Amino acid sequence: MSHPLFDISGRTALVTGSSRGIGLALARGLLEAGCTVVLNGRDPGRLARAAEELGGAVHTAAFDVTDGASVAAGIAEAEERVGPLDILVNNAGMQLRAPLLEFAEPDWHRILDTNLTSAFLVGREAARGMVARGRGKIVNVCSLQSEVVRPGIGPYAATKGALKMLTKGMCADWGPAGVQVNGLGPGYIETELTRPLVEDETFSSWVRGRTPAGRWGRTEDLVGALLFLASPASDFVGGQILYVDGGMTSVL
Ligand code: NDP
């Protein structure tokens, strides 16, 4: 029997960017824990396929997390249709790899909008209801790169470092109203976003050698930490980033 502190059955959760990869795995974890889940992404077809794959208490809400008006309309519509959100996972994100001297200005704005502004926009809309109801859980998907960086991913690391501080800022503003905001920091996880790295054997063996756990992470590796941060077990945890990285951030 599981401990009641981890019981989140009956809660309603929105996971942004959940048509594939980490978001889809996190949505599956919440569903298996008894939540009603709302999947999000920009492509309605891909979302419908993901919902079918999961089955059960799954809904979809297609909107672009970088567009304030679409976010406001999308959250309002989802809450009307599915119910008030108890849990929000700000997961949608992207990667653009290029040396800083060659990094184009439009790309800088795109990655900032997708990885950082999105969490502000979606977080703010979801928190309106959570603050009014006096409870809620928000989990921002940060990264190993909230702490450390490698050549060619400076802009990505800048967005994830800023997301760590936005997590703390949300905790400061919404914690008093009973909303806990924390971050989940994945290490190197095999998904579409990291496919070029996985396929590069030199890089891939560097990851395995550099990670105390000796392997790449799987999307399912992140579910336990999410369930903790989404459940009453973390009611007195605020503004923390929980790194799930096989130990990588701890060792040189
Ligand atoms: P994927 O590229 O596999 O999936 C990204 C998801 O986000 C897709 O469902 C995509 O759907 C959606 N998405 C992208 N842009 C938008 C948008 N503007 N509006 C709505 N949805 C959007 O990424 P991962 O699963 O690998 O990564 C998920 C999160 O985890 C990201 O924040 C990433 O930075 C973070 N992370 C990943 C790591 C890894 O090793 N993979 C490590 C550390 C952090 P669609 O294109 O249809 O909109």
Side-chain angles (χ1 to χ4, degrees), residues 19-20 22 42 46 64-65 91 156 160 187 189 191 194:
S19 58
R20 63 171 186 257
I22 290 172
R42 287 164 301 183
R46 195 149 46 205
D64 184 337
V65 293
N91 165 81
Y156 178 84
K160 293 296 182 175
I189 312 288
T191 67
T194 52

Side-chain angles (χ1 to χ4, degrees), residues 16-24 40-44 46-47 63-67 90-95 113-115 118 141-145 156 160 163 184-194 216 219 222:
T16 67
S18 48
S19 58
R20 63 171 186 257
I22 290 172
L24 181 57
N40 158 264
R42 287 164 301 183
D43 180 336
R46 195 149 46 205
L47 271 183
F63 58 87
D64 184 337
V65 293
T66 67
D67 180 75
N90 275 317
N91 165 81
M94 67 179 304
Q95 175 62 291
D113 283 352
T114 307
N115 294 1
S118 63
V141 177
C142 298
S143 169
L144 178 66
Q145 270 95 31
Y156 178 84
K160 293 296 182 175
L163 184 57
L184 174 60
Y188 281 97
I189 312 288
E190 287 195 56
T191 67
E192 229 159 277
L193 185 136
T194 52
W216 277 78
T219 54
L222 303 169

Side-chain angles (χ1 to χ4, degrees), residues 123-206:
R124 188 183 56 169
E125 289 315 305
R128 289 189 201 286
M130 290 178 177
V131 165
R133 292 187 293 277
R135 69 167 208 180
K137 297 276 184 181
I138 298 179
V139 179
N140 293 326
V141 177
C142 298
S143 169
L144 178 66
Q145 270 95 31
S146 297
E147 300 294 337
V148 288
V149 67
R150 285 178 54 80
I153 55 166
Y156 178 84
T159 67
K160 293 296 182 175
L163 184 57
K164 175 177 78 169
M165 286 313 297
L166 180 63
T167 302
K168 295 180 189 219
M170 288 174 167
C171 167
D173 275 29
W174 302 333
V179 178
Q180 287 86 49
V181 188
N182 287 286
L184 174 60
Y188 281 97
I189 312 288
E190 287 195 56
T191 67
E192 229 159 277
L193 185 136
T194 52
R195 181 161 301 155
L197 306 181
V198 176
E199 286 171 357
D200 176 344
E201 189 40 46
T202 310
F203 190 89
S204 208
S205 63
W206 174 82

